């Protein structure tokens, strides 16, 4: 029945090819907002034909299809978007926003994993998205997993090193966090996040070393917080 209803609606939409694109987008948006997933999917398929460079229709096609239980829609829609030179990141942003708006963030993660499995040439950008997702949720084990995966391709990336250090800190492995922040500083000597991280992590165990990192951070980007930390180390009670 789902397939039949979608076919009927697709036929109806496609015979209305002379319709104004703005009116069609309005109809698609209205169906989507109402949770009329078959209609929304069909209408956004038509919108994507008329406006092939717009990311929103592809993301909403995926979401509407998934709401109908169609797990094949993700890969096919991503392929169409890429064929039309729409950045993957733009499509995934739409999908993420819709999933979060409908209180179903897990759906977004499941589809990221699906894209990674079914389209392995997109594995790296998908891993970057997964890292961002798990960082937002402070999921230390998954942050470690995806930061390490991305670092295999960019071993000196300050971004991924800092996320990895943060994950170790959340996980309670201070020694690993310190070692990782030192890798960041070796790659980028003026990296504020790593300098402050090291200063705080070493504050009690090695005050002299902590002071050197905090003073360098203060010289690059002075703040009252850093000034107070430095003053406390220089004038311990």
């Amino acid at each position: 029945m789902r397939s039949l209803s979608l076919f009927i609606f697709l036929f109806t939409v496609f015979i209305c090819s002379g319709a104004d694109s703005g009116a069609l987008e309005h109809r698609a948006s209205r169906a989507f907002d109402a949770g009329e997933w078959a209609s929304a999917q069909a209408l956004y398929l038509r919108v994507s034909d008329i406006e092939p460079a717009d990311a929103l229709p592809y993301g909403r096609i995926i979401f509407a299809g998934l709401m109908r239980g169609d797990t094949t829609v993700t890969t096919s829609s991503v392929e169409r978007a890429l064929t039309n030179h729409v950045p993957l990141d733009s499509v995934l942003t739409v999908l993420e926003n819709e999933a979060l708006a409908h209180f179903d963030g897990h759906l977004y993660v499941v589809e990221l994993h699906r894209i990674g499995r079914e389209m392995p040439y997109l594995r790296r950008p998908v891993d970057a998205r997964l890292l961002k997702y798990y960082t937002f949720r402070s999921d230390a084990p998954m942050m470690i997993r995806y930061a390490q995966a991305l670092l295999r391709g960019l071993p000196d990336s300050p971004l991924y090193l800092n996320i990895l250090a943060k994950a170790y800190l959340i996980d309670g492995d201070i020694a690993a966090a310190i070692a990782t922040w030192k890798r960041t500083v070796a790659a980028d000597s003026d990296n504020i996040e790593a300098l402050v991280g090291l200063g705080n992590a070493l504050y009690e165990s090695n005050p002299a070393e902590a002071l050197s990192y905090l003073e360098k951070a203060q010289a690059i980007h002075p703040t009252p917080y850093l000034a107070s930390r430095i003053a406390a180390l220089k004038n311990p009670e």
Side-chain angles (χ1 to χ4, degrees):
M1 287 297 294
R2 285 177 179 168
S3 298
L4 178 61
S5 64
L6 179 59
F7 174 79
I8 292 170
F9 205 87
L10 274 169
F11 179 76
T12 304
V13 172
F14 273 83
I15 63 174
C16 298
S17 57
D20 174 74
S21 63
L24 188 61
E25 289 175 17
H26 178 72
R27 289 171 60 198
S29 178
R30 189 167 58 184
F32 190 92
D33 291 341
E36 298 169 358
W37 303 122
S39 298
Q41 186 179 3
L43 284 162
Y44 274 118
L45 277 167
R46 181 59 182 144
V47 172
S48 71
D49 285 336
I50 297 171
E51 302 287 347
D54 186 1
L56 187 138
Y58 300 104
R60 288 195 161 187
I61 288 166
I62 294 170
F63 188 83
L66 292 170
M67 290 296 96
R68 296 178 54 251
D70 180 4
T71 58
T72 68
V73 68
T74 301
T75 300
S76 61
S77 297
V78 168
E79 286 176 339
R80 286 184 67 235
L82 295 178
T83 298
N84 288 310
H85 308 292
V86 179
L88 174 66
D89 200 55
S90 299
V91 176
L92 292 179
T93 295
V94 175
L95 178 60
E96 180 184 22
N97 289 342
E98 297 302 343
L100 293 176
H102 289 81
F103 306 102
D104 195 356
H106 182 65
L107 175 147
Y108 167 68
V109 177
V110 168
E111 296 316 300
L112 287 179
H113 286 294
R114 189 189 311 281
I115 294 168
R117 286 194 310 272
E118 298 181 2
M119 309 174 78
Y121 57 93
L122 295 176
R123 180 78 262 176
R124 188 167 182 83
V126 166
D127 281 353
R129 275 269 173 175
L130 286 165
L131 178 60
K132 181 181 177 182
Y133 177 85
Y134 290 121
T135 300
F136 177 73
R137 280 150 185 78
S138 297
D139 185 331
M142 298 303 281
M143 289 167 66
I144 292 168
R145 173 181 172 179
Y146 287 102
Q148 288 177 336
L150 289 160
L151 283 165
R152 283 194 284 272
L154 284 173
D156 295 327
S157 166
L159 172 63
Y160 299 142
L161 286 169
N162 281 339
I163 292 174
L164 181 60
K166 180 181 177 181
Y168 284 134
L169 195 66
I170 294 169
D171 210 34
D173 192 342
I174 307 300
I178 290 170
T180 305
W181 273 318
K182 286 185 176 182
R183 286 176 60 190
T184 303
V185 172
D188 177 10
S189 61
D190 293 339
N191 190 281
I192 292 291
E193 183 176 345
L195 291 169
V196 174
L198 284 165
N200 286 330
L202 294 163
Y203 196 82
E204 294 184 2
S205 62
N206 193 332
E209 191 176 2
L211 181 61
S212 68
Y213 288 120
L214 292 174
E215 285 184 328
K216 183 166 186 179
Q218 178 73 344
I220 297 167
H221 184 69
T223 68
Y225 168 77
L226 289 173
S228 67
R229 297 289 273 175
I230 291 167
L233 283 173
K234 286 184 172 180
N235 302 290
E237 293 182 1

